[in-house]
Amino acid sequence: MATKCGNCGPGYSTPLEAMKGPREEIIYLPCIYRNTGTEAPDYLATVDVDPKSPQYCQVIEPKDIHAKCELAFLHTSHCLASGEVMISSLGDVKGNGKGGFVLLDGETFEVKGTWERPGGAAPSGYDFWYQPRHNVMISTEWAAPNVLRDGFNPADVEAGLYGSHLYVWDWQHHEIVQTLSLKDGLIPLEIRFLHNPDAAQGFVGCALSSTIQRFYKNEGGTWSVEKVIQVPPKKVKGWLLPEMPGLITDILLSLDDRFLYFSNWLHGDLRQYDISDPQRPRLTGQLFLGGSIVKGGPVQVLEDQELKSQPEPLVVKGKRVAGGPQMIQLSLDGNRLYVTTSLYSAWDKQFYPDLIREGSVMLQVDVDTVKGGLKLNPNFLVDFGKEPLGPALAHELRYPGGDCSSDIWI
């Protein structure tokens, strides 16, 4: 069954059974005020996404989640079959790179220690996913917090300070058994195994290289990786560099393992690929939701291998949307995608300063699961620029009972 903290949640027996679950009614989103100029604690927003509710598209319950612990630079959390919660770390308390994992009690959320063996952390960290039937966990790396915390500096890329590896762990023995170097794989962020618990393959999105890499298990038990999607950069004028990458910041897979979705935060498009053949993903849907290359903006595209013209700015319910598609979440049945537009406050300030002034938004996209395709819902907008304490930066999206990004079947 699906792993659930404290035995809560629906506990669907298989990913396909989860697709038959009820429609989502609320979504949780952490909202950030750090580095925005607003003196207020970060908080957890509950958004009503039930079309039959009078509070549809509204934040209905903000909760203070201001940090009360000394842990450093935590990112991804997954529940374990033991009932514990495991959280990845980007670094140590001084901001140096350290890809370790914190264990929490699933009932009290008290810190129990680290998951990895003493001294066995990866050089750097970010996301992770485990597949118990293959006794494996694979983790990714962004960069040391001291490198990324104040914004993006191209010199740090030249200096080799950004991640380009996957770390393969023995799930039972809690130790790294293989390190995979990624060709065209700078800044591997979000990683997803196929949801089928017997599957020995998955995908990782490499942000700066703008590639999707497929990782898979070999007959001898080792693991390999290959590039299966490349988003070409655009030659531009009026931007930080002469070429702009797509910057793939989030990916997810539908519960039936048929579709892969990812966001290009800088280019501004959301994409859908049919992965019925995982070695040869096929583009089936693309939708622009803002981004850095819209018409009338400061960036002029000089050469584009994909588009004939720059996309129009996105306006939803009278509001021009700042930023680009970033975090995404799919409904259990695969028919709706929810999207937020903030990446990380320091990078938001650098690439989309309007986000700091206006706050981020949450959008909803209708998905064609038969032929493929993406269509914006023009009647759905959650504007975090209107929060009582000032504009906020909404980030990750989660359902109360589990979702495509957090549930792992054992």
Side-chain angles (χ1 to χ4, degrees):
M1 62 182 292
T3 62
K4 297 288 181 180
C5 300
N7 297 317
C8 63
Y12 300 109
S13 59
T14 68
L16 296 181
E17 281 299 312
M19 295 188 75
K20 303 175 185 176
R23 178 176 173 139
E24 66 283 356
E25 295 182 348
I26 60 173
I27 292 180
Y28 298 132
L29 303 92
C31 293
I32 310 301
Y33 279 123
R34 283 168 290 166
N35 301 321
T36 65
T38 298
E39 296 297 327
D42 300 342
Y43 65 98
L44 183 69
T46 303
V47 173
D48 190 326
V49 294
D50 180 2
K52 296 178 290 185
S53 169
Q55 295 176 308
Y56 182 55
C57 291
Q58 296 180 30
V59 177
I60 57 175
E61 186 182 1
K63 291 185 177 180
D64 181 3
I65 56 169
H66 188 58
K68 297 180 174 68
C69 67
E70 299 299 325
L71 302 176
F73 310 106
L74 303 182
H75 185 260
T76 298
S77 63
H78 282 299
C79 294
L80 308 184
S82 63
E84 297 168 308
V85 180
M86 181 168 160
I87 308 177
S88 61
S89 171
L90 277 72
D92 62 20
V93 294
K94 295 181 179 180
N96 302 308
K98 186 177 182 181
F101 303 89
V102 177
L103 280 179
L104 306 181
D105 184 283
E107 296 291 338
T108 66
F109 296 104
E110 293 295 322
V111 177
K112 300 180 68 175
T114 58
W115 176 84
E116 73 277 5
R117 293 175 179 268
S124 184
Y126 187 71
D127 194 22
F128 72 101
W129 198 282
Y130 64 91
Q131 201 78 319
R133 295 187 188 182
H134 293 279
N135 187 37
V136 68
M137 179 180 82
I138 301 181
S139 63
T140 66
E141 57 180 7
W142 186 349
N146 287 338
V147 172
L148 63 89
R149 68 195 311 172
D150 294 324
F152 175 71
N153 185 346
D156 291 334
V157 179
E158 296 296 326
L161 300 182
Y162 279 98
S164 60
H165 299 89
L166 301 182
Y167 299 98
V168 182
W169 300 74
D170 184 301
W171 181 242
Q172 294 182 348
H173 293 96
H174 303 192
E175 61 186 6
I176 295 174
V177 294
Q178 190 178 354
T179 299
L180 299 175
S181 297
L182 297 166
K183 183 180 180 181
D184 298 327
L186 277 174
I187 312 185
L189 293 183
E190 306 293 341
I191 188 167
R192 307 285 183 260
F193 266 94
L194 298 187
H195 292 288
N196 180 350
D198 289 321
Q201 62 179 320
F203 300 91
V204 59
C206 300
L208 194 57
S209 298
S210 300
T211 63
I212 299 292
Q213 310 258 353
R214 169 183 168 261
F215 57 88
Y216 57 95
K217 188 176 182 180
N218 301 302
E219 290 186 6
T222 60
W223 293 78
S224 296
V225 63
E226 63 177 355
K227 181 173 70 173
V228 292
I229 298 172
Q230 173 74 66
V231 177
K234 302 181 189 299
K235 292 186 178 181
V236 295
K237 181 180 179 181
W239 195 66
L240 177 68
L241 297 168
E243 287 193 344
M244 181 190 291
L247 207 73
I248 298 173
T249 53
D250 198 14
I251 72 170
L252 60 76
L253 305 179
S254 59
L255 286 173
D256 57 5
D257 292 330
R258 183 185 169 196
F259 290 111
L260 163 72
Y261 299 88
F262 67 80
S263 53
N264 284 310
W265 188 60
L266 289 177
H267 287 180
D269 59 314
L270 184 67
R271 298 193 183 198
Q272 175 197 51
Y273 284 79
D274 187 316
I275 54 169
S276 300
D277 181 352
Q279 293 180 266
R280 299 171 183 82
R282 180 172 58 88
L283 181 64
T284 51
Q286 183 178 21
L287 180 65
F288 277 85
L289 301 172
S292 295
I293 61 167
V294 294
K295 291 180 180 178
V299 177
Q300 178 185 358
V301 177
L302 305 177
E303 184 176 324
D304 194 325
Q305 298 180 39
E306 296 183 314
L307 302 178
K308 295 181 179 179
S309 62
Q310 295 180 226
E312 297 289 338
L314 178 65
V315 179
V316 182
K317 298 179 75 170
K319 178 180 176 64
R320 176 166 173 161
V321 173
Q326 207 284 94
M327 299 306 295
I328 54 178
Q329 187 56 261
L330 186 66
S331 61
L332 297 183
D333 61 11
N335 291 326
R336 291 166 300 284
L337 266 172
Y338 296 93
V339 185
T340 56
T341 53
S342 165
L343 173 59
Y344 175 68
S345 57
W347 290 42
D348 292 347
K349 186 181 297 185
Q350 181 178 8
F351 294 109
Y352 294 114
D354 286 349
L355 276 176
I356 305 299
R357 295 189 292 268
E358 301 176 13
S360 65
V361 301
M362 175 178 164
L363 306 169
Q364 190 238 299
V365 174
D366 294 323
V367 178
D368 186 334
T369 59
V370 178
K371 298 179 180 179
L374 303 171
K375 183 179 179 181
L376 179 69
N377 180 348
N379 299 313
F380 188 103
L381 175 74
V382 181
D383 184 357
F384 290 92
K386 297 181 178 180
E387 288 297 271
L389 296 179
L393 302 173
H395 193 62
E396 205 161 10
L397 307 108
R398 288 285 183 262
Y399 303 141
D403 48 58
C404 296
S405 300
S406 60
D407 273 15
I408 295 175
W409 277 261
I410 59 176

